[in-house]
C-alpha cells in the first residue's frame, strides 16, 4: 500500500515521481509491445527507504511479472538496473565492476548520513545530463578493463525471467498441471551459495555469491603463453570481417613497437609481424581476449615458427597419403619371395661332408659385407678363374643373391639337378634352338638337313 503523503516520517520533497523506469535489456524483455503498470509512490526503496514510483510488467510469454525494487536516485548512484541491480553497461554485479575499476565503497549506511549523502547525489544528478554516471563512477565507467571485457555479458539473458519453482509441486500437492504458472522443476541445493542472495549485499558490493563465482572464473581463464622459440615475433589476428582493415590494425598495434609487416589473408585474418620480441609480447598481453575494433572482438594468437610449419606440413601430407582409399579393380601388391630364394641367390648348398664348401664357393668367410654392390646386374664372378664353361657339374647350386635382389632365372637348357634322376650324356649334333634368332639355318649359314627315308 502506498505511503500517505501526510506522514511526517519522510520529506515529501524527496519523493520520486518518474515516468519510465531505468532497466536493463534482460529485465525489460523481448516484447516490443510491452505494457507496464505504474503506481505512484507505491513502495519504499530497499536502499534509502524513500517512497518512489513502482513499475510492474511481464517481460514475455511464460515469464514472471517483474517490478522495480530501488528508486532511480540509488540506481543512478551505482549505475545499475532498478530491478536486478546489475551494471547497465556490462551486466555484472557491483562487486565485480568495482574490483575491475578499483573503486572504493564510500556510501554511508546510517540513516542520517545516508539521507545527507543522497541529497548531495540528487543535486549532482540535477546538474548533469541525467545519463552519465555520477559519484565515484564519474569518469571511470568507460575505462577499459581486462576483467570487464572478459566477463561482460553482451547479449540479454532472458532465462533469468523464468517463473519461480512451484512449492506445491515440490511437496507433490500441485493440482494445476500444465496450467500452473510456476515451474515444475527440482529445486537447487539449499546449501548452494547461489541460493542465498541479498539485495543489499548486491547493491553495496559485499558478500555477493554471484560476484565470487565470476571472480573465481576470471582467475581460471586461459592465458596466452608466448612460444619457446624467441625468433617468433608474429601475431595471428582473426575474426576481422569486412569492417577491420590493415589501417585499423596498424593504428592499434603501432603503440607497442615497430611493425615489420601486416599480411591480410582471405580467411578474414591477418598476420602482424613486429621487429622485436618484446613488442610482440606486449601486444599479445594487452590484446588477448579484449581487442575490439569497429565493433568486432578479434582473436589473438601467436604465429608458428618456420620449423613447426615444415613439420606440420609433412605430417599433413603423410596423413593425406595414408588416408586414401584403394582403387577397386587394381591388382594388389606382389608378395615377398620365399626366404630360401631371398638369401640363396645361386641355390648353393651347405659345406660337404669333409667340411669344405661346394664347388664355386670361397673357402674363407667374407669380410666387410657383400663383395659387390647391389647395382651390379648378374651373378658375381666365381673364383678360380671365373665361371667354368659348359654345363655345371651335377649337384651344383647357384650362390644366394645379395640382399634386396631377386634371384636370376637359370640359363636356357639348364635342368635343375633335383629334376635329373640320372646322369645322361650330352646329345650329339647342334644345340637345341630356343629362339628364332639362334637358328643357324635361318640366315643360310648352315644348310638344313632333310630327313631321308
Amino acid at each position: 500500500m502506498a505511503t500517505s503523503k501526510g506522514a511526517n516520517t519522510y520529506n515529501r520533497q524527496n519523493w520520486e515521481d518518474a515516468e519510465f523506469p531505468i532497466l536493463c535489456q534482460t529485465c525489460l524483455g523481448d516484447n516490443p509491445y510491452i505494457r507496464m503498470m505504474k503506481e505512484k509512490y507505491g513502495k519504499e526503496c530497499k536502499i534509502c527507504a524513500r517512497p518512489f514510483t513502482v513499475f510492474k510488467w511481464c517481460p514475455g510469454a511464460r515469464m514472471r511479472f517483474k517490478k522495480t525494487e530501488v528508486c532511480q536516485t540509488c540506481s543512478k548512484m551505482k549505475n545499475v538496473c532498478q530491478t536486478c541491480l546489475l551494471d547497465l553497461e556490462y551486466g555484472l554485479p557491483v562487486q565485480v565492476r568495482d574490483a575491475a575499476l578499483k573503486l572504493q565503497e564510500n556510501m554511508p549506511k546510517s540513516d542520517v548520513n545516508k539521507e545527507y549523502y543522497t541529497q548531495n547525489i540528487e543535486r549532482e544528478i540535477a546538474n548533469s545530463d541525467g545519463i552519465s554516471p555520477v559519484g565515484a563512477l564519474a569518469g571511470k565507467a568507460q575505462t577499459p578493463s581486462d576483467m570487464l571485457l572478459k566477463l561482460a555479458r553482451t547479449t540479454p539473458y532472458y532465462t533469468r525471467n523464468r517463473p519461480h519453482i512451484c512449492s506445491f509441486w515440490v511437496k507433490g500437492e500441485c493440482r494445476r498441471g500444465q496450467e500452473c504458472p510456476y515451474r515444475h522443476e527440482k529445486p537447487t541445493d539449499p546449501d548452494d551459495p547461489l541460493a542465498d542472495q541479498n539485495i543489499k549485499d548486491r547493491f553495496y558490493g559485499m558478500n555477493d555469491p554471484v560476484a565470487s563465482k565470476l571472480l573465481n572464473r576470471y582467475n581460471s581463464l586461459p592465458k596466452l603463453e608466448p612460444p619457446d622459440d624467441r625468433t617468433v615475433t608474429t601475431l595471428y589476428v582473426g575474426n576481422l570481417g569486412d569492417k577491420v582493415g590493415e589501417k585499423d590494425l596498424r593504428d592499434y598495434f603501432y603503440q607497442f613497437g615497430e611493425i615489420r609487416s601486416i599480411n591480410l589473408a582471405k580467411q578474414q585474418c591477418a598476420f602482424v609481424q613486429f621487429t622485436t620480441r618484446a613488442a610482440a609480447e606486449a601486444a599479445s598481453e594487452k590484446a588477448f581476449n579484449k581487442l575490439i575494433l569497429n565493433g568486432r572482438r578479434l582473436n589473438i594468437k601467436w604465429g608458428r615458427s618456420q620449423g613447426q610449419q615444415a613439420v606440420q606440413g609433412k605430417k599433413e601430407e603423410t596423413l593425406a597419403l595414408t588416408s586414401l582409399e584403394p582403387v577397386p579393380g587394381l591388382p594388389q601388391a606382389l608378395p615377398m619371395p620365399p626366404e630360401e630364394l631371398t638369401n640363396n641367390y645361386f641355390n648353393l648348398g651347405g659345406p660337404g661332408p669333409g667340411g669344405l664348401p661346394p664347388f664355386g664357393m670361397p673357402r674363407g668367410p667374407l669380410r666387410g659385407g657383400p663383395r659387390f654392390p647391389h647395382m651390379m646386374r648378374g651373378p658375381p664372378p666365381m673364383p678360380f678363374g671365373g665361371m667354368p664353361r659348359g654345363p655345371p657339374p651335377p649337384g651344383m647350386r647357384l650362390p644366394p643373391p645379395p640382399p634386396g635382389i631377386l634371384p636370376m632365372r637359370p640359363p636356357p637348357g639348364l635342368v635343375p639337378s633335383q629334376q635329373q634322376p640320372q646322369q645322361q650324356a650330352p646329345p650329339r649334333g647342334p644345340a637345341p634352338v630356343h629362339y628364332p634368332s639362334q637358328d643357324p639355318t635361318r640366315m643360310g649359314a648352315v644348310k638344313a638337313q632333310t630327313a631321308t627315308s
Side-chain angles (χ1 to χ4, degrees):
M1 182 177 180
T3 306
S4 174
K5 292 183 180 181
N8 297 326
T9 308
Y10 305 107
N11 185 1
R12 287 180 294 177
Q13 295 180 356
N14 296 329
W15 290 11
E16 177 190 304
D17 185 9
E19 295 296 332
F20 198 83
I22 301 176
L23 303 174
C24 61
Q25 183 63 33
T26 300
C27 295
L28 189 60
D30 57 348
N31 185 10
Y33 306 103
I34 189 174
R35 294 183 298 178
M36 287 189 176
M37 293 177 287
K38 175 181 176 182
E39 185 179 3
K40 196 171 184 180
Y41 312 130
K43 284 184 176 295
E44 293 181 356
C45 176
K46 298 293 182 64
I47 304 300
C48 63
R50 298 186 305 172
F52 72 104
T53 303
V54 178
F55 295 88
K56 191 175 182 180
W57 71 99
C58 182
R62 304 295 299 177
M63 301 288 180
R64 72 175 187 270
F65 274 83
K66 309 192 75 173
K67 60 183 179 66
T68 54
E69 303 291 345
V70 297
C71 63
Q72 292 193 4
T73 302
C74 296
S75 173
K76 294 178 180 179
M77 189 186 311
K78 290 287 187 177
N79 194 30
V80 295
C81 174
Q82 284 188 259
T83 301
C84 64
L85 271 67
L86 296 179
D87 187 78
L88 293 173
E89 185 176 357
Y90 302 103
L92 298 174
V94 176
Q95 184 176 350
V96 178
R97 184 200 61 192
D98 293 350
L101 299 179
K102 300 179 180 180
L103 298 178
Q104 299 293 334
E105 174 60 38
N106 54 1
M107 185 175 179
K109 306 282 190 308
S110 62
D111 295 338
V112 179
N113 292 336
K114 185 190 305 181
E115 184 71 20
Y116 177 75
Y117 182 81
T118 304
Q119 292 179 359
N120 294 335
I121 291 296
E122 287 182 345
R123 190 180 301 108
E124 187 176 352
I125 292 175
N127 297 331
S128 64
D129 55 358
I131 300 177
S132 303
V134 295
L137 287 174
K140 292 186 178 181
Q142 303 297 331
T143 304
S145 174
D146 182 19
M147 183 183 301
L148 294 180
L149 292 176
K150 290 183 178 180
L151 299 179
R153 186 180 295 276
T154 57
T155 57
Y157 186 65
Y158 296 121
T159 309
R160 203 167 61 214
N161 301 333
R162 294 181 302 170
H164 296 292
I165 296 177
C166 180
S167 59
F168 289 91
W169 182 84
V170 174
K171 295 183 292 185
E173 301 176 358
C174 183
R175 302 180 181 179
R176 294 185 179 183
Q178 296 182 355
E179 297 180 357
C180 183
Y182 298 96
R183 284 188 296 159
H184 289 181
E185 297 180 5
K186 182 179 179 180
T188 58
D189 187 5
D191 297 333
D192 188 4
L194 297 179
D196 186 14
Q197 301 184 24
N198 191 348
I199 188 171
K200 290 188 177 181
D201 292 342
R202 174 69 57 80
F203 182 83
Y204 290 114
M206 300 182 307
N207 303 326
D208 190 355
V210 179
S212 301
K213 181 180 178 181
L214 292 176
L215 292 176
N216 294 334
R217 182 188 302 176
Y218 172 75
N219 295 330
S220 61
L221 286 177
K223 299 181 180 179
L224 186 62
E225 298 294 339
D228 298 335
D229 190 359
R230 300 291 300 179
T231 61
V232 179
T233 59
T234 305
L235 294 181
Y236 166 84
V237 184
N239 194 25
L240 296 180
D242 300 333
K243 298 182 179 180
V244 181
E246 181 179 354
K247 183 178 181 302
D248 300 327
L249 296 176
R250 188 176 298 275
D251 293 342
Y252 177 79
F253 287 105
Y254 189 79
Q255 59 181 326
F256 303 106
E258 185 179 357
I259 299 175
R260 179 172 298 173
S261 63
I262 297 180
N263 299 326
L264 295 177
K266 296 182 180 179
Q267 292 79 11
Q268 296 184 355
C269 63
F271 296 91
V272 182
Q273 185 178 10
F274 293 88
T275 55
T276 60
R277 176 61 179 259
E281 292 181 356
S284 64
E285 182 180 357
K286 295 293 183 181
F288 180 65
N289 279 349
K290 50 189 173 182
L291 176 56
I292 299 178
L293 293 180
N294 297 337
R296 297 185 66 90
R297 184 183 294 273
L298 304 184
N299 300 329
I300 305 297
K301 297 180 181 179
W302 279 95
R304 296 179 181 177
S305 61
Q306 299 296 332
Q308 293 180 355
Q309 292 180 2
V311 173
Q312 186 69 16
K314 291 182 179 179
K315 290 183 179 180
E316 294 178 356
E317 183 178 359
T318 305
L319 181 61
L321 292 177
T322 55
S323 62
L324 294 178
E325 298 181 359
V327 180
L330 292 181
Q332 301 296 330
L334 295 176
M336 295 298 295
E339 185 69 19
E340 58 271 10
L341 296 181
T342 304
N343 300 328
N344 195 359
Y345 191 84
F346 289 104
N347 298 327
L348 294 178
L356 297 177
F359 176 77
M361 289 294 294
R363 296 182 181 273
L366 296 178
R367 298 180 180 179
R371 183 172 297 181
F372 303 96
H374 301 334
M375 68 283 298
M376 296 182 62
R377 302 295 182 178
M382 301 296 295
F384 310 109
M387 180 71 69
R389 298 184 180 272
M396 175 182 175
R397 301 186 64 182
L398 300 178
I405 300 181
L406 295 178
M408 290 184 58
R409 181 177 298 177
L414 179 61
V415 181
S417 60
Q418 56 268 25
Q419 296 182 5
Q420 296 179 358
Q422 295 180 0
Q423 182 79 21
Q424 297 181 3
R428 296 181 179 181
V433 178
H434 294 276
Y435 301 99
S437 60
Q438 297 179 354
D439 189 1
T441 61
R442 181 182 178 187
M443 303 302 296
V446 180
K447 295 183 179 180
Q449 300 179 1
T450 56
T452 57
S453 57

